[in-house]
Amino acid sequence: DQQVKQNSPSLSVQEGRISILNCDYTNSMFDYFLWYKKYPAEGPTFLISISSIKDKNEDGRFTVFLNKSAKHLSLHIVPSQPGDSAVYFCAASAGGSNYKLTFGKGTLLTVNP
Amino acid sequence: DSGVTQTPKHLITATGQRVTLRCSPRSGDLSVYWYQQSLDQGLQFLIQYYNGEERAKGNILERFSAQQFPDLHSELNLSSLELGDSALYFCASTRGGSGANVLTFGAGSRLTVL
């Protein structure tokens, strides 16, 4: 049973445009959500997070939106840059317990110059 | 460099064999986590150690075991290997043992079972 779903295996956008990566979850106990970015031959690196008490968190070009009623979150990257090309993983945890991060399968983002 | 060191980077072995993956956490971090990423899968949580003690267990097979040593490095032992054990194994660390801390991942160990 996949509790965190990233339904788009890949996404391609033009440099300078907006990238929107989506994530759905099924477990209503999840209360903390994170996005990780992964380059080839490297481990995932933390990008941005959001607590369930918020509906938006912004950090520079990256904004995460949370819609609790729809159990949906999205990551917006504006403007997209070629260096953003990577696999993006959505992750969630329940009760503030980071040790049981549940990850989605990831979305490969390609930003074309 | 994330500060989390994993060795070996690549490992090729045969079915039925046993391997040990090693992880050194970031300086000052007390918790170590192991995750498995199989082909086309998300990262699956295996096990967490905090300051030498097992803290949480996920979908870890009985053929797999782990430990954290007094110097805080951790080893993941995989035995009676099967083809399906081929995967990327990631180690991550955090300062504390719980709470919404951000995990810092190593670069992973790629295991290929032939």
Side-chain angles (χ1 to χ4, degrees):
Chain A
D1 175 30
Q2 209 179 339
Q3 298 185 59
V4 176
K5 298 178 185 179
Q6 294 178 256
N7 291 319
S8 297
S10 63
L11 174 68
S12 183
V13 300
Q14 280 303 117
E15 181 178 5
R17 298 291 190 104
I18 184 171
S19 295
I20 300 177
L21 295 97
N22 293 304
C23 177
D24 297 295
Y25 62 96
T26 58
N27 188 341
S28 57
M29 299 300 292
F30 287 148
D31 60 2
Y32 193 70
F33 304 89
L34 308 91
W35 285 93
Y36 278 81
K37 179 170 72 173
K38 185 184 180 305
Y39 293 118
E42 295 183 12
T45 56
F46 170 73
L47 189 58
I48 192 169
S49 63
I50 187 167
S51 164
S52 60
I53 62 173
K54 294 186 171 183
D55 55 18
K56 176 183 174 181
N57 189 26
E58 193 171 349
D59 183 2
R61 298 186 295 113
F62 303 90
T63 303
V64 56
F65 295 92
L66 175 62
N67 182 333
K68 288 190 292 292
S69 60
K71 292 191 176 67
H72 176 84
L73 63 155
S74 61
L75 174 68
H76 292 211
I77 306 174
V78 183
S80 300
Q81 300 173 355
D84 297 328
S85 298
V87 176
Y88 289 78
F89 290 99
C90 171
S93 68
S97 302
N98 62 292
Y99 56 82
K100 280 190 177 177
L101 280 185
T102 301
F103 283 83
K105 292 185 178 182
T107 297
L108 173 61
L109 172 66
T110 302
V111 180
N112 301 302
Chain B
D1 183 1
S2 67
V4 178
T5 305
Q6 290 189 247
T7 57
K9 286 190 173 16
H10 302 277
L11 189 55
I12 301 174
T13 188
T15 55
Q17 296 297 305
R18 171 190 169 96
V19 298
T20 297
L21 308 180
R22 181 188 168 103
C23 169
S24 293
R26 204 176 46 162
S27 178
D29 285 359
L30 300 177
S31 263
V32 170
Y33 310 75
W34 287 97
Y35 281 82
Q36 179 194 52
Q37 185 185 16
S38 301
L39 190 64
D40 294 331
Q41 295 294 317
L43 283 77
Q44 302 288 323
F45 171 72
L46 295 178
I47 198 164
Q48 177 205 6
Y49 279 83
Y50 174 72
N51 205 19
E53 300 288 328
E54 182 182 305
R55 176 61 68 94
K57 224 170 194 179
N59 301 320
I60 187 167
L61 299 171
E62 285 192 11
R63 300 184 286 108
F64 296 0
S65 65
Q67 55 184 324
Q68 185 179 28
F69 295 86
D71 67 352
L72 300 177
H73 91 271
S74 177
E75 293 181 357
L76 178 66
N77 301 297
L78 316 174
S79 62
S80 302
L81 286 168
E82 302 176 358
L83 295 177
D85 297 328
S86 296
L88 262 172
Y89 291 84
F90 288 104
C91 171
S93 69
T94 58
R95 193 130 319 206
S98 63
N101 294 311
V102 170
L103 273 66
T104 300
F105 283 87
S109 292
R110 181 175 292 280
L111 173 66
T112 302
V113 182
L114 301 175

